[in-house]
Amino acid sequence: MTQSFLSALLGAERPVIMEVKSRDAHGADLLRGRAPGDVAAAYQRAGAPCVSVVTGRWFGGTAAMLDEVTARVDVPVLLKDFVTRHDQIAAAARSGVSAVLLTAALLPRESLHGLARACQEHGLTPFVEVTRADEAVGLPDPQGCVVAVNNKDITARERDAGDLDRSRALLPAVRAAGTLCPVSASAVSDPATAAGLLEEGYRGLLIGTSLLRAPSLEAWLAEFDAHRAVSTEAAGRSVVPLTVDALSILPHPAPVRTTATTGPERPAGPVGEAEAEGVPA
């Protein structure tokens, strides 16, 4: 097993989860002839602390993509797919990944919390994706979870442009829920935007389409680093990663209960893969 996903992200100077995805939500080819393993290896060479692999069918993903990526990289890997059952968690652990996506909008609260506990029992980081403040409340061992705000609309199969104001609005609630690692995910379209989200307080970013479409990964990351350097210099401080040793001693606010005001009703029972087909991972 590689270093844990959570500790790798918190300890990174450039906390960007770089994503391998076959196509975008509109069906456009993102790999453009590149092998998934080659893309992941390029991410690792560029300094990615973690890599994400989308195996969900709406983005053209396959189990073979995951196998290819885990065989090529030594950094922690996040599995992004419809995960609704405990046997999927066990299979993910056997596959060599370090984290598993749990989409709160697809799961009743009890099922979400049970799957998060199952991840932790298997030594995996629960990567809990939320779109509302209440979805982050009450997670088991929240300091051991990544909580990611999805800036896109999953009810529209993520075909919208995305709303970064969602990340800005939900950050206080996500922090208050207890995670050490709030992440802004999806719709992070350029280096300046990415740097700005970290400046506002996010501990990590998940970026896929923008990196996959970039003419040069190295140039994209260099511009990102330059924006971060300007913002940290202006603030009179340096970027200091959170060390793994600090995790057990950092003070953290107690979870607070928040009442949802928007968002679709949750299904009454556990969501099966067939029920989730209309919503991408």
Side-chain angles (χ1 to χ4, degrees):
M1 179 72 70
T2 58
Q3 180 185 16
S4 82
F5 189 94
L6 180 63
S7 61
L9 191 56
L10 287 173
E13 291 187 12
R14 187 198 286 144
V16 177
I17 306 160
M18 303 187 195
E19 186 162 271
V20 180
K21 184 162 55 177
S22 180
R23 62 182 186 232
D24 69 12
H26 300 279
D29 179 17
L30 293 174
L31 292 176
R32 304 193 310 276
R34 297 171 291 180
D38 290 342
V39 173
Y43 285 160
Q44 180 169 318
R45 289 194 300 272
C50 308
V51 169
S52 168
V53 184
V54 179
T55 59
R57 66 176 67 89
W58 283 110
F59 294 98
T62 65
M65 285 178 60
L66 179 65
D67 293 339
E68 185 176 340
V69 169
T70 56
R72 292 290 301 277
V73 301
D74 298 321
V75 297
V77 173
L78 165 66
L79 168 64
K80 287 187 68 179
D81 207 332
F82 302 120
V83 174
T84 61
R85 306 187 314 270
H86 285 244
D87 64 302
Q88 291 173 286
I89 302 292
R94 292 192 297 271
S95 74
V97 304
S98 296
V100 172
L101 173 71
L102 300 176
T103 306
L106 297 181
L107 297 163
R109 184 179 298 274
E110 184 176 338
S111 296
L112 172 65
H113 293 183
L115 290 169
R117 283 190 291 269
C119 284
Q120 291 160 344
E121 289 166 2
H122 284 281
L124 305 174
T125 298
F127 190 95
V128 181
E129 185 181 83
V130 303
T131 56
R132 305 198 314 261
D134 69 302
E135 292 173 335
V137 173
L139 290 170
D141 185 20
Q143 292 194 21
C145 298
V146 171
V147 178
V149 177
N150 186 349
N151 299 308
K152 290 202 169 187
D153 182 359
I154 62 172
T155 66
R157 301 182 183 177
E158 297 191 0
R159 291 174 178 167
D160 59 311
D163 181 10
L164 292 175
D165 285 338
R166 178 182 293 164
S167 275
R168 299 180 179 108
L170 292 187
L171 180 57
V174 168
R175 281 173 160 172
T179 182
L180 293 171
C181 193
V183 166
S184 181
S186 299
V188 182
S189 60
D190 60 83
T193 298
L197 287 164
L198 293 182
E199 178 68 16
E200 290 175 37
Y202 274 92
R203 296 294 312 186
L205 308 170
L206 189 148
I207 305 177
T209 301
S210 180
L211 295 180
L212 289 164
R213 286 181 173 159
S216 166
L217 172 64
E218 292 74 15
W220 197 104
L221 294 173
E223 184 178 346
F224 169 71
D225 291 342
H227 282 290
R228 289 195 76 196
V230 169
S231 62
T232 54
E233 182 179 350
R237 58 181 172 79
S238 60
V239 177
V240 180
L242 179 62
T243 64
V244 176
D245 291 340
L247 296 182
S248 62
I249 61 174
L250 277 177
H252 205 82
V256 295
R257 191 162 298 278
T258 307
T259 301
T261 57
T262 60
E265 292 284 334
R266 292 181 186 277
V271 178
E273 285 184 283
E275 296 172 78
E277 282 189 1
V279 186

